[in-house]
Amino acid sequence: SKRPFHRKCEDVSLNTLVVDPLSFTQPPFSSTFTAYPPFNATQQLLRYFNPCRMTSSSYFSKITNWKRKISILIFTTSSLCCCHANLAPLALHQLYEVSSGGELVLALHGYDLNGDKTLATITKLPTSGKLYQLSYVYNKHGYDPKAGVQITSIPCNVTGDKSRLVYKRPAIDQEHNGEWDRFDYTVSDGKASSRAGIVTLIAPSRLVVASDFRLSSEGWSTIGNRKNGVSYEPTSRGVMNRYIYAADNSLNIGRSGDDEDLWYFVLPQKFTGWHGIMYGGSFEFILSSFSGDFSDDKFNFGGDMNLVEIYCERCDLNKGVTIAYPLSSTSGFSGSTKSFSLGMTENEGWLLDPENTLLEWTVPTKCDFIEVISGITSVRILGDFTNWYESVSIDSVNWRSAPPKGRKQLLPCAQGTPDARGCTCK
């Protein structure tokens, strides 16, 4: 066989075989074939579909569910050699809770569909806590002390049984505004290695990233008709305690009587990038206003606006994807101080931008949602609600995770690639 990843072959008789054209220098046998759009996803395909046990009609049924995100050749033949691939293991993203000054034993064994044992390797160290190999006595007998030799350089293989190691917080420690730490690891089954998985460590508050504006505006800005950015208020007003605010810079009233040039708060860089571990958590913030007319007839577009928009530039094969939470999916905003908590799953009221003004926004799939929060380019929150001048303030912006479940925090079907581009969840 010219297929380098095969371990064994067996002769079978069937009508079709699905293979990856990028694995061959030339087709292995004379055949007719059909090419699909380019995307090397053979391993993701073989994880779910066994070409040795499926009929031609079964293939086409399964392939249509891939939404054209795979690159395959369908070879037609009466008798062929069907070979079984060794699938690279996955280094699953993980989430753990650690108390101030505490320590935790973590297991970093891989997710391997072949059933192979895996070896974990640390590829990026945490920034505030420290990693340790298990001590001999704890690894063999379960007695304290748990921590052995500190891991100070990378890459470093994890030596503990079941790829266990210890994460420790500093002795003098205090919970801060967001997650404690992150570190990266890979796993290998001896034949193939995974891409990097991310282990996120959080405090009991479960905050992954947050802005409380305790000392500054934290890099927040605005976009739209408000060009002057935000103002920082270091005092308190009711529940708004150290917050930021902004107001209309100008009005652009259209024929419908609506202000067509809306402004939004733009969240800073710490809210961008990979936040896939937030799946199942909540997006929380407080809005208030101390000037403006929030009567129903003053609302822009009858209230048909997005309260929150999250954009991923590289999603959908770099075409870009936006998911949004409509204001209409909440109980609204009247200008009075109000807390919002938006569920971070696809079924909590979010909609997907079709990128076509003639089409309706639709509910995102699980894969759409996870891919967006795994590669966030920008996040913005509506500040311009009415067709007249108003000032709107915001405080206590939190991304709070669901209760930590370790390596079970995010579904394996969303982790064919670390950034969820290879997601196969239904």
Side-chain angles (χ1 to χ4, degrees), residues 161-184:
D161 183 44
K162 298 180 181 178
S163 293
R164 293 180 300 161
L165 79 171
V166 177
Y167 172 82
K168 293 184 70 172
R169 296 295 306 159
I172 302 175
D173 200 12
Q174 183 177 0
E175 185 172 343
H176 54 266
N177 206 18
E179 65 191 38
W180 286 129
D181 239 336
R182 290 184 182 186
F183 67 88
D184 295 357

PDB file of all heavy atoms in Angstrom, residues 161-184:
ATOM      1  N   ASP A 161       1.782   8.333  36.212  1.00  0.00           N
ATOM      2  CA  ASP A 161       0.860   7.335  35.705  1.00  0.00           C
ATOM      3  C   ASP A 161      -0.385   8.025  35.156  1.00  0.00           C
ATOM      4  O   ASP A 161      -0.906   8.971  35.761  1.00  0.00           O
ATOM      5  CB  ASP A 161       0.483   6.378  36.844  1.00  0.00           C
ATOM      6  CG  ASP A 161      -0.425   5.259  36.385  1.00  0.00           C
ATOM      7  OD1 ASP A 161      -0.166   4.693  35.319  1.00  0.00           O
ATOM      8  OD2 ASP A 161      -1.408   4.976  37.101  1.00  0.00           O
ATOM      9  N   LYS A 162      -0.893   7.551  34.006  1.00  0.00           N
ATOM     10  CA  LYS A 162      -2.038   8.144  33.314  1.00  0.00           C
ATOM     11  C   LYS A 162      -1.799   9.615  32.964  1.00  0.00           C
ATOM     12  O   LYS A 162      -2.720  10.416  32.908  1.00  0.00           O
ATOM     13  CB  LYS A 162      -3.307   7.999  34.158  1.00  0.00           C
ATOM     14  CG  LYS A 162      -3.713   6.560  34.416  1.00  0.00           C
ATOM     15  CD  LYS A 162      -4.974   6.477  35.254  1.00  0.00           C
ATOM     16  CE  LYS A 162      -5.353   5.026  35.523  1.00  0.00           C
ATOM     17  NZ  LYS A 162      -6.568   4.916  36.384  1.00  0.00           N
ATOM     18  N   SER A 163      -0.539   9.951  32.735  1.00  0.00           N
ATOM     19  CA  SER A 163      -0.138  11.314  32.345  1.00  0.00           C
ATOM     20  C   SER A 163      -0.607  12.350  33.362  1.00  0.00           C
ATOM     21  O   SER A 163      -1.057  13.442  33.002  1.00  0.00           O
ATOM     22  CB  SER A 163      -0.669  11.660  30.945  1.00  0.00           C
ATOM     23  OG  SER A 163      -0.045  10.867  29.966  1.00  0.00           O
ATOM     24  N   ARG A 164      -0.469  12.007  34.644  1.00  0.00           N
ATOM     25  CA  ARG A 164      -0.868  12.941  35.693  1.00  0.00           C
ATOM     26  C   ARG A 164       0.298  13.830  36.101  1.00  0.00           C
ATOM     27  O   ARG A 164       1.459  13.437  36.046  1.00  0.00           O
ATOM     28  CB  ARG A 164      -1.391  12.193  36.921  1.00  0.00           C
ATOM     29  CG  ARG A 164      -2.705  11.459  36.695  1.00  0.00           C
ATOM     30  CD  ARG A 164      -3.145  10.746  37.950  1.00  0.00           C
ATOM     31  NE  ARG A 164      -2.172   9.762  38.378  1.00  0.00           N
ATOM     32  CZ  ARG A 164      -2.109   9.242  39.612  1.00  0.00           C
ATOM     33  NH1 ARG A 164      -2.979   9.635  40.537  1.00  0.00           N
ATOM     34  NH2 ARG A 164      -1.191   8.344  39.908  1.00  0.00           N
ATOM     35  N   LEU A 165      -0.045  15.048  36.541  1.00  0.00           N
ATOM     36  CA  LEU A 165       0.929  15.992  37.064  1.00  0.00           C
ATOM     37  C   LEU A 165       0.225  16.927  38.037  1.00  0.00           C
ATOM     38  O   LEU A 165      -1.001  16.840  38.217  1.00  0.00           O
ATOM     39  CB  LEU A 165       1.624  16.762  35.950  1.00  0.00           C
ATOM     40  CG  LEU A 165       0.890  17.946  35.281  1.00  0.00           C
ATOM     41  CD1 LEU A 165       1.852  18.697  34.376  1.00  0.00           C
ATOM     42  CD2 LEU A 165      -0.323  17.501  34.509  1.00  0.00           C
ATOM     43  N   VAL A 166       0.964  17.814  38.665  1.00  0.00           N
ATOM     44  CA  VAL A 166       0.416  18.715  39.676  1.00  0.00           C
ATOM     45  C   VAL A 166       0.530  20.158  39.213  1.00  0.00           C
ATOM     46  O   VAL A 166       1.587  20.571  38.709  1.00  0.00           O
ATOM     47  CB  VAL A 166       1.153  18.555  41.029  1.00  0.00           C
ATOM     48  CG1 VAL A 166       0.631  19.561  42.056  1.00  0.00           C
ATOM     49  CG2 VAL A 166       0.990  17.140  41.558  1.00  0.00           C
ATOM     50  N   TYR A 167      -0.565  20.921  39.365  1.00  0.00           N
ATOM     51  CA  TYR A 167      -0.547  22.364  39.174  1.00  0.00           C
ATOM     52  C   TYR A 167      -0.678  23.019  40.531  1.00  0.00           C
ATOM     53  O   TYR A 167      -1.574  22.667  41.321  1.00  0.00           O
ATOM     54  CB  TYR A 167      -1.688  22.809  38.261  1.00  0.00           C
ATOM     55  CG  TYR A 167      -1.834  24.319  38.174  1.00  0.00           C
ATOM     56  CD1 TYR A 167      -1.024  25.062  37.319  1.00  0.00           C
ATOM     57  CD2 TYR A 167      -2.760  24.994  38.968  1.00  0.00           C
ATOM     58  CE1 TYR A 167      -1.144  26.442  37.252  1.00  0.00           C
ATOM     59  CE2 TYR A 167      -2.882  26.374  38.901  1.00  0.00           C
ATOM     60  CZ  TYR A 167      -2.065  27.090  38.043  1.00  0.00           C
ATOM     61  OH  TYR A 167      -2.182  28.456  37.991  1.00  0.00           O
ATOM     62  N   LYS A 168       0.209  23.991  40.854  1.00  0.00           N
ATOM     63  CA  LYS A 168       0.192  24.662  42.160  1.00  0.00           C
ATOM     64  C   LYS A 168       0.116  26.169  41.981  1.00  0.00           C
ATOM     65  O   LYS A 168       0.828  26.751  41.159  1.00  0.00           O
ATOM     66  CB  LYS A 168       1.455  24.304  42.971  1.00  0.00           C
ATOM     67  CG  LYS A 168       1.531  22.860  43.403  1.00  0.00           C
ATOM     68  CD  LYS A 168       2.755  22.608  44.269  1.00  0.00           C
ATOM     69  CE  LYS A 168       2.606  23.265  45.629  1.00  0.00           C
ATOM     70  NZ  LYS A 168       3.701  22.863  46.550  1.00  0.00           N
ATOM     71  N   ARG A 169      -0.756  26.786  42.779  1.00  0.00           N
ATOM     72  CA  ARG A 169      -0.824  28.241  42.869  1.00  0.00           C
ATOM     73  C   ARG A 169       0.268  28.746  43.818  1.00  0.00           C
ATOM     74  O   ARG A 169       0.747  27.988  44.681  1.00  0.00           O
ATOM     75  CB  ARG A 169      -2.198  28.685  43.385  1.00  0.00           C
ATOM     76  CG  ARG A 169      -3.365  28.346  42.490  1.00  0.00           C
ATOM     77  CD  ARG A 169      -3.310  29.071  41.178  1.00  0.00           C
ATOM     78  NE  ARG A 169      -3.180  30.508  41.373  1.00  0.00           N
ATOM     79  CZ  ARG A 169      -2.708  31.340  40.451  1.00  0.00           C
ATOM     80  NH1 ARG A 169      -2.281  30.883  39.286  1.00  0.00           N
ATOM     81  NH2 ARG A 169      -2.645  32.632  40.701  1.00  0.00           N
ATOM     82  N   PRO A 170       0.661  30.027  43.701  1.00  0.00           N
ATOM     83  CA  PRO A 170       1.635  30.586  44.645  1.00  0.00           C
ATOM     84  C   PRO A 170       1.103  30.547  46.076  1.00  0.00           C
ATOM     85  O   PRO A 170      -0.114  30.603  46.312  1.00  0.00           O
ATOM     86  CB  PRO A 170       1.817  32.027  44.161  1.00  0.00           C
ATOM     87  CG  PRO A 170       1.361  32.023  42.748  1.00  0.00           C
ATOM     88  CD  PRO A 170       0.282  30.998  42.662  1.00  0.00           C
ATOM     89  N   ALA A 171       2.007  30.465  47.062  1.00  0.00           N
ATOM     90  CA  ALA A 171       1.601  30.428  48.470  1.00  0.00           C
ATOM     91  C   ALA A 171       0.873  31.714  48.860  1.00  0.00           C
ATOM     92  O   ALA A 171      -0.108  31.687  49.602  1.00  0.00           O
ATOM     93  CB  ALA A 171       2.822  30.214  49.355  1.00  0.00           C
ATOM     94  N   ILE A 172       1.363  32.859  48.395  1.00  0.00           N
ATOM     95  CA  ILE A 172       0.701  34.143  48.603  1.00  0.00           C
ATOM     96  C   ILE A 172      -0.098  34.440  47.339  1.00  0.00           C
ATOM     97  O   ILE A 172       0.459  34.738  46.292  1.00  0.00           O
ATOM     98  CB  ILE A 172       1.712  35.264  48.897  1.00  0.00           C
ATOM     99  CG1 ILE A 172       2.540  34.914  50.134  1.00  0.00           C
ATOM    100  CG2 ILE A 172       0.997  36.593  49.073  1.00  0.00           C
ATOM    101  CD1 ILE A 172       3.633  35.910  50.434  1.00  0.00           C
ATOM    102  N   ASP A 173      -1.413  34.350  47.457  1.00  0.00           N
ATOM    103  CA  ASP A 173      -2.242  34.351  46.252  1.00  0.00           C
ATOM    104  C   ASP A 173      -3.538  35.097  46.516  1.00  0.00           C
ATOM    105  O   ASP A 173      -4.035  35.148  47.638  1.00  0.00           O
ATOM    106  CB  ASP A 173      -2.549  32.907  45.856  1.00  0.00           C
ATOM    107  CG  ASP A 173      -2.960  32.754  44.406  1.00  0.00           C
ATOM    108  OD1 ASP A 173      -2.789  33.716  43.644  1.00  0.00           O
ATOM    109  OD2 ASP A 173      -3.440  31.667  44.043  1.00  0.00           O
ATOM    110  N   GLN A 174      -4.085  35.691  45.463  1.00  0.00           N
ATOM    111  CA  GLN A 174      -5.360  36.399  45.566  1.00  0.00           C
ATOM    112  C   GLN A 174      -6.076  36.307  44.230  1.00  0.00           C
ATOM    113  O   GLN A 174      -5.464  36.493  43.170  1.00  0.00           O
ATOM    114  CB  GLN A 174      -5.143  37.868  45.947  1.00  0.00           C
ATOM    115  CG  GLN A 174      -6.438  38.645  46.130  1.00  0.00           C
ATOM    116  CD  GLN A 174      -6.199  40.080  46.571  1.00  0.00           C
ATOM    117  OE1 GLN A 174      -5.056  40.501  46.745  1.00  0.00           O
ATOM    118  NE2 GLN A 174      -7.262  40.831  46.753  1.00  0.00           N
ATOM    119  N   GLU A 175      -7.360  36.005  44.286  1.00  0.00           N
ATOM    120  CA  GLU A 175      -8.134  35.887  43.056  1.00  0.00           C
ATOM    121  C   GLU A 175      -8.173  37.214  42.319  1.00  0.00           C
ATOM    122  O   GLU A 175      -8.370  38.265  42.921  1.00  0.00           O
ATOM    123  CB  GLU A 175      -9.566  35.440  43.378  1.00  0.00           C
ATOM    124  CG  GLU A 175     -10.403  35.165  42.151  1.00  0.00           C
ATOM    125  CD  GLU A 175     -11.751  34.549  42.472  1.00  0.00           C
ATOM    126  OE1 GLU A 175     -11.917  34.041  43.601  1.00  0.00           O
ATOM    127  OE2 GLU A 175     -12.641  34.581  41.593  1.00  0.00           O
ATOM    128  N   HIS A 176      -7.932  37.148  41.011  1.00  0.00           N
ATOM    129  CA  HIS A 176      -7.954  38.369  40.216  1.00  0.00           C
ATOM    130  C   HIS A 176      -9.068  38.310  39.184  1.00  0.00           C
ATOM    131  O   HIS A 176      -9.896  37.395  39.214  1.00  0.00           O
ATOM    132  CB  HIS A 176      -6.589  38.615  39.554  1.00  0.00           C
ATOM    133  CG  HIS A 176      -6.087  37.460  38.748  1.00  0.00           C
ATOM    134  ND1 HIS A 176      -5.235  36.496  39.255  1.00  0.00           N
ATOM    135  CD2 HIS A 176      -6.302  37.107  37.460  1.00  0.00           C
ATOM    136  CE1 HIS A 176      -4.948  35.612  38.320  1.00  0.00           C
ATOM    137  NE2 HIS A 176      -5.590  35.952  37.232  1.00  0.00           N
ATOM    138  N   ASN A 177      -9.083  39.274  38.292  1.00  0.00           N
ATOM    139  CA  ASN A 177     -10.215  39.478  37.399  1.00  0.00           C
ATOM    140  C   ASN A 177     -10.109  38.616  36.152  1.00  0.00           C
ATOM    141  O   ASN A 177      -9.741  39.079  35.086  1.00  0.00           O
ATOM    142  CB  ASN A 177     -10.279  40.966  37.024  1.00  0.00           C
ATOM    143  CG  ASN A 177     -11.678  41.394  36.656  1.00  0.00           C
ATOM    144  OD1 ASN A 177     -12.638  40.708  36.983  1.00  0.00           O
ATOM    145  ND2 ASN A 177     -11.799  42.520  35.986  1.00  0.00           N
ATOM    146  N   GLY A 178     -10.440  37.342  36.287  1.00  0.00           N
ATOM    147  CA  GLY A 178     -10.360  36.431  35.159  1.00  0.00           C
ATOM    148  C   GLY A 178      -9.722  35.119  35.565  1.00  0.00           C
ATOM    149  O   GLY A 178      -9.528  34.825  36.750  1.00  0.00           O
ATOM    150  N   GLU A 179      -9.401  34.302  34.575  1.00  0.00           N
ATOM    151  CA  GLU A 179      -8.829  32.984  34.836  1.00  0.00           C
ATOM    152  C   GLU A 179      -7.482  33.093  35.546  1.00  0.00           C
ATOM    153  O   GLU A 179      -6.772  34.095  35.430  1.00  0.00           O
ATOM    154  CB  GLU A 179      -8.675  32.229  33.517  1.00  0.00           C
ATOM    155  CG  GLU A 179      -7.668  32.874  32.567  1.00  0.00           C
ATOM    156  CD  GLU A 179      -7.693  32.289  31.166  1.00  0.00           C
ATOM    157  OE1 GLU A 179      -8.788  31.972  30.674  1.00  0.00           O
ATOM    158  OE2 GLU A 179      -6.616  32.183  30.559  1.00  0.00           O
ATOM    159  N   TRP A 180      -7.113  32.008  36.251  1.00  0.00           N
ATOM    160  CA  TRP A 180      -5.787  31.960  36.862  1.00  0.00           C
ATOM    161  C   TRP A 180      -4.698  31.853  35.798  1.00  0.00           C
ATOM    162  O   TRP A 180      -3.730  32.588  35.804  1.00  0.00           O
ATOM    163  CB  TRP A 180      -5.661  30.740  37.763  1.00  0.00           C
ATOM    164  CG  TRP A 180      -6.337  30.691  39.082  1.00  0.00           C
ATOM    165  CD1 TRP A 180      -7.153  29.683  39.542  1.00  0.00           C
ATOM    166  CD2 TRP A 180      -6.259  31.630  40.168  1.00  0.00           C
ATOM    167  NE1 TRP A 180      -7.571  29.939  40.814  1.00  0.00           N
ATOM    168  CE2 TRP A 180      -7.035  31.131  41.227  1.00  0.00           C
ATOM    169  CE3 TRP A 180      -5.593  32.849  40.332  1.00  0.00           C
ATOM    170  CZ2 TRP A 180      -7.179  31.789  42.441  1.00  0.00           C
ATOM    171  CZ3 TRP A 180      -5.738  33.510  41.538  1.00  0.00           C
ATOM    172  CH2 TRP A 180      -6.515  32.996  42.572  1.00  0.00           C
ATOM    173  N   ASP A 181      -4.873  30.866  34.923  1.00  0.00           N
ATOM    174  CA  ASP A 181      -3.742  30.426  34.107  1.00  0.00           C
ATOM    175  C   ASP A 181      -4.207  29.587  32.934  1.00  0.00           C
ATOM    176  O   ASP A 181      -5.349  29.103  32.904  1.00  0.00           O
ATOM    177  CB  ASP A 181      -2.817  29.558  34.972  1.00  0.00           C
ATOM    178  CG  ASP A 181      -1.416  30.103  35.069  1.00  0.00           C
ATOM    179  OD1 ASP A 181      -1.004  30.845  34.162  1.00  0.00           O
ATOM    180  OD2 ASP A 181      -0.729  29.802  36.061  1.00  0.00           O
ATOM    181  N   ARG A 182      -3.261  29.377  31.998  1.00  0.00           N
ATOM    182  CA  ARG A 182      -3.420  28.402  30.917  1.00  0.00           C
ATOM    183  C   ARG A 182      -2.071  27.762  30.645  1.00  0.00           C
ATOM    184  O   ARG A 182      -1.035  28.383  30.823  1.00  0.00           O
ATOM    185  CB  ARG A 182      -3.912  29.059  29.625  1.00  0.00           C
ATOM    186  CG  ARG A 182      -5.329  29.557  29.632  1.00  0.00           C
ATOM    187  CD  ARG A 182      -5.740  30.099  28.270  1.00  0.00           C
ATOM    188  NE  ARG A 182      -7.109  30.631  28.284  1.00  0.00           N
ATOM    189  CZ  ARG A 182      -7.748  31.056  27.220  1.00  0.00           C
ATOM    190  NH1 ARG A 182      -7.161  31.026  26.039  1.00  0.00           N
ATOM    191  NH2 ARG A 182      -8.989  31.519  27.326  1.00  0.00           N
ATOM    192  N   PHE A 183      -2.111  26.520  30.192  1.00  0.00           N
ATOM    193  CA  PHE A 183      -0.906  25.921  29.627  1.00  0.00           C
ATOM    194  C   PHE A 183      -1.315  24.951  28.524  1.00  0.00           C
ATOM    195  O   PHE A 183      -2.469  24.504  28.464  1.00  0.00           O
ATOM    196  CB  PHE A 183      -0.039  25.239  30.695  1.00  0.00           C
ATOM    197  CG  PHE A 183      -0.648  24.020  31.345  1.00  0.00           C
ATOM    198  CD1 PHE A 183      -0.487  22.753  30.802  1.00  0.00           C
ATOM    199  CD2 PHE A 183      -1.354  24.145  32.541  1.00  0.00           C
ATOM    200  CE1 PHE A 183      -1.037  21.628  31.421  1.00  0.00           C
ATOM    201  CE2 PHE A 183      -1.895  23.032  33.170  1.00  0.00           C
ATOM    202  CZ  PHE A 183      -1.743  21.769  32.602  1.00  0.00           C
ATOM    203  N   ASP A 184      -0.388  24.642  27.614  1.00  0.00           N
ATOM    204  CA  ASP A 184      -0.659  23.793  26.456  1.00  0.00           C
ATOM    205  C   ASP A 184       0.038  22.452  26.596  1.00  0.00           C
ATOM    206  O   ASP A 184       1.098  22.341  27.230  1.00  0.00           O
ATOM    207  CB  ASP A 184      -0.174  24.459  25.167  1.00  0.00           C
ATOM    208  CG  ASP A 184      -0.925  25.738  24.836  1.00  0.00           C
ATOM    209  OD1 ASP A 184      -1.865  26.087  25.577  1.00  0.00           O
ATOM    210  OD2 ASP A 184      -0.554  26.397  23.848  1.00  0.00           O
TER     211      ASP A 184
END
